[in-house]
């Protein structure tokens, strides 16, 4: 079960965000990667706020266990709050390392729901060794950027008819590691992995911000936002490093110390996403394409991520590559 810290920060209170009663106001949300970490708490808060939450994941067992744990935790928290009407939690199969699975998942979702109010592209991987997916993309780029792009494009028709729909992309402060604009064809498959893997992560998260900026121009009525949760050192994201034989222990100690000084707990890590999902003061007219950091504080992404010429190049490259692989984007 995902651990959680009861000591959520006082700087942000999810109770200040509007609660709905799903019997009278049915609003649907899809979040990827909510069987652990930041996504787990994001799903918990949306469920507590009355949303019908689809959890997109590649492992049915893991997602079902998360649904059971979130339900228990929500019922515990609801006891103290009579104004809460719980939503619903539903599993949706999706493997972001397989573009056909992404297409299938979008089709399945469309069969079940005529409308989508909030889409949260949260699932991600970080700093893994170089490898290609079966679709011939570098794995971090596909998981963190290409598949969220494809999923979003397929689901936009369900969102454009919904008033005040929102698309969120969970980026990272790590997008800054993509410190220079390289060609989008660069795969950075050099050694040592411990250095170049961060460049691949930075590229994927910068591309996600580009995508949000492009969407905000193409779909001005949908509120499109990128978020950075902050440093959350106790999720599974770093498990490749902490599970390495012998040196894993040193990585674990280093991450714990780093997290103690600069990090936030997992629940606090979901606050930027929750705020961007539910805060009614954020509107597509004045906030579209923005980037919000820890606790939902508005921030500026890197100059590369903010550059609209680069964003346009990223769009052209992505649609070309998806077209080549038989996943046309209009
Ligand atoms: N933790 C941080 O400090 C931090 C900082 C900045 C940004 N972020 C971003 O926050 C997001 C959530 O990360 P987290 O820290 O909560 O890590 P986490 O606990 O590892 O959660 C990642 C989630 O993504 C899912 N996922 C990974 N690959 C997938 C695939 N191919 N198909 C479907 N789902 C997949 C995982 O599912 P499985 O269990 O099946 O692998 C898991 O549910 C990521 O996008 C990450 O880059 C995290």
């Amino acid at each position: 079960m995902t651990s959680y810290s009861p000591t959520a920060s006082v700087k942000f209170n999810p109770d200040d965000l509007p609660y709905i009663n799903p019997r009278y106001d049915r609003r649907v949300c899809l979040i990827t990667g909510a069987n652990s970490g930041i996504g787990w708490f994001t799903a918990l808060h949306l469920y507590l706020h009355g949303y019908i939450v689809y959890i997109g994941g590649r492992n049915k067992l893991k997602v079902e266990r998360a649904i059971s744990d979130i339900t228990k935790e929500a019922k515990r928290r609801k006891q103290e709050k009579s104004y809460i009407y719980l939503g619903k939690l539903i599993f949706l199969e999706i493997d972001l390392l397989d573009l056909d699975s992404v297409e299938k998942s979008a089709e399945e979702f469309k069969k079940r729901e005529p409308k989508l109010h909030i889409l949260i592209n949260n699932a991600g991987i970080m700093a893994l060794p170089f490898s290609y997916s079966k679709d011939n993309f570098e794995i971090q780029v596909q998981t963190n950027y290409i598949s969220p792009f494809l999923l979003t494009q397929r689901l936009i028709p369900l969102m454009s008819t919904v008033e005040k729909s929102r698309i969120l992309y969970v980026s990272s402060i790590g997008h800054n590691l993509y410190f220079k604009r390289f060609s989008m064809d660069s795969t950075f498959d050099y050694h040592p992995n411990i250095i170049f893997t961060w460049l691949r992560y930075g590229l994927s998260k910068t591309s996600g911000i580009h995508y949000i900026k492009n969407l905000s121009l193409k779909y001005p009525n949908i509120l499109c936002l990128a978020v950075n949760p902050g440093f959350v050192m106790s999720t599974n994201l770093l498990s490749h490093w902490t599970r390495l034989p012998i040196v894993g222990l040193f990585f674990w100690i280093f991450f714990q110390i780093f997290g103690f000084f600069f990090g936030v707990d997992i629940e606090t890590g979901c606050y930027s996403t929750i705020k961007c999902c539910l805060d009614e003061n954020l509107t597509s007219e004045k906030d579209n394409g923005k980037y919000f950091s820890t606790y939902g504080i508005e921030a500026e992404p890197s100059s590369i991520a903010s550059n609209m010429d680069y964003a346009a190049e990223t769009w052209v490259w992505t649609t070309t590559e998806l077209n080549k692989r038989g996943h046309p984007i209009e």
Side-chain angles (χ1 to χ4, degrees):
M1 178 186 158
T2 304
S3 64
Y4 67 92
S5 159
T7 53
S9 167
V10 290
K11 289 183 195 165
F12 176 93
N13 184 358
D15 264 346
D16 294 340
L17 298 169
Y19 283 88
I20 54 172
N21 181 342
R23 275 185 67 186
Y24 306 110
D25 188 3
R26 189 176 188 278
R27 293 195 212 171
V28 180
C29 164
L30 166 59
I31 176 168
T32 57
N35 57 274
S36 69
I38 296 162
W40 193 97
F41 278 100
T42 310
L44 169 69
H45 281 289
L46 288 165
Y47 177 56
L48 281 166
H49 278 79
Y51 279 75
I52 314 300
V53 184
Y54 280 80
I55 298 183
R58 56 182 162 177
N59 183 321
K60 189 174 185 205
L61 249 157
K62 275 193 194 176
V63 176
E64 283 179 346
R65 198 176 312 133
I67 287 179
S68 158
D69 291 342
I70 293 171
T71 307
K72 279 186 214 140
E73 179 60 15
K75 285 189 175 148
R76 190 186 69 74
R77 295 189 186 198
K78 180 179 154 38
Q79 280 170 2
E80 306 142 24
K81 296 169 183 172
S82 58
Y83 50 88
I84 284 181
Y85 298 92
L86 295 177
K88 204 171 170 187
L89 297 164
I90 302 165
F91 166 64
L92 181 75
E93 186 168 356
I94 185 166
D95 181 357
L96 299 171
L97 276 173
D98 177 355
L99 294 177
D100 289 337
S101 165
V102 176
E103 298 274 18
K104 223 170 121 190
S105 181
E107 280 311 309
E108 179 60 31
F109 187 85
K110 284 183 195 164
K111 275 187 213 152
R112 295 201 214 168
E113 297 289 342
K115 288 180 182 177
L116 175 59
H117 296 76
I118 305 176
L119 171 61
I120 310 169
N121 286 303
N122 164 79
I125 50 176
M126 185 172 82
L128 296 186
F130 183 85
S131 130
Y132 281 114
S133 70
K134 71 190 257 294
D135 301 296
N136 208 28
F137 285 112
E138 188 280 319
I139 55 169
Q140 293 191 74
V141 168
Q142 175 156 345
T143 308
N144 299 350
Y145 168 59
I146 301 280
S147 287
F149 181 110
L150 182 61
L151 178 68
T152 307
Q153 288 303 126
R154 295 300 183 244
L155 293 177
I156 277 177
L158 303 190
M159 308 190 78
S160 37
T161 53
V162 172
E163 211 192 332
K164 296 183 182 168
S165 55
R166 300 188 182 199
I167 296 173
L168 266 73
Y169 175 74
V170 180
S171 184
S172 167
I173 194 164
H175 82 271
N176 288 287
L177 296 165
Y178 185 62
F179 63 96
K180 176 179 172 315
R181 180 62 172 176
F182 297 92
S183 152
M184 282 300 288
D185 288 318
S186 318
T187 48
F188 309 112
D189 52 335
Y190 316 122
H191 291 290
N193 177 60
I194 197 167
I195 293 179
F196 290 101
T197 188
W198 294 104
L199 210 47
R200 300 192 290 271
Y201 183 71
L203 163 66
S204 68
K205 293 294 181 179
T206 297
S207 303
I209 298 173
H210 283 164
Y211 182 47
I212 285 295
K213 293 201 173 287
N214 285 321
L215 281 179
S216 70
L217 298 179
K218 287 180 193 289
Y219 303 96
N221 296 331
I222 304 178
L223 177 56
C224 305
L225 302 170
V227 303
N228 159 38
F231 292 117
V232 189
M233 307 311 278
S234 41
T235 67
N236 295 336
L237 202 63
L238 290 160
S239 56
H240 167 75
W241 296 95
T242 55
R243 284 182 196 156
L244 288 173
I246 307 169
V247 286
L249 179 65
F250 293 100
F251 278 119
W252 184 83
I253 293 169
F254 171 73
F255 294 146
Q256 294 309 307
I257 294 171
F258 186 87
F260 179 80
F261 287 106
F262 304 107
V264 293
D265 62 58
I266 309 180
E267 182 156 13
T268 307
C270 89
Y271 285 174
S272 47
T273 310
I274 288 297
K275 177 174 166 158
C276 288
C277 285
L278 302 180
D279 188 345
E280 288 180 337
N281 295 317
L282 297 175
T283 65
S284 55
E285 291 78 22
K286 65 177 178 59
D287 298 305
N288 227 346
K290 286 184 178 173
Y291 171 83
F292 289 82
S293 208
T294 323
Y295 302 108
I297 296 168
E298 192 180 328
E300 276 301 314
S302 70
S303 56
I304 296 171
S306 304
N307 185 310
M308 291 311 291
D309 292 334
Y310 293 156
E313 276 173 25
T314 304
W315 176 277
V316 172
W317 179 86
T318 311
T319 51
T320 308
E321 293 301 317
L322 281 170
N323 283 334
K324 275 190 213 162
R325 288 161 175 84
H327 299 275
I329 304 291
E330 283 171 21

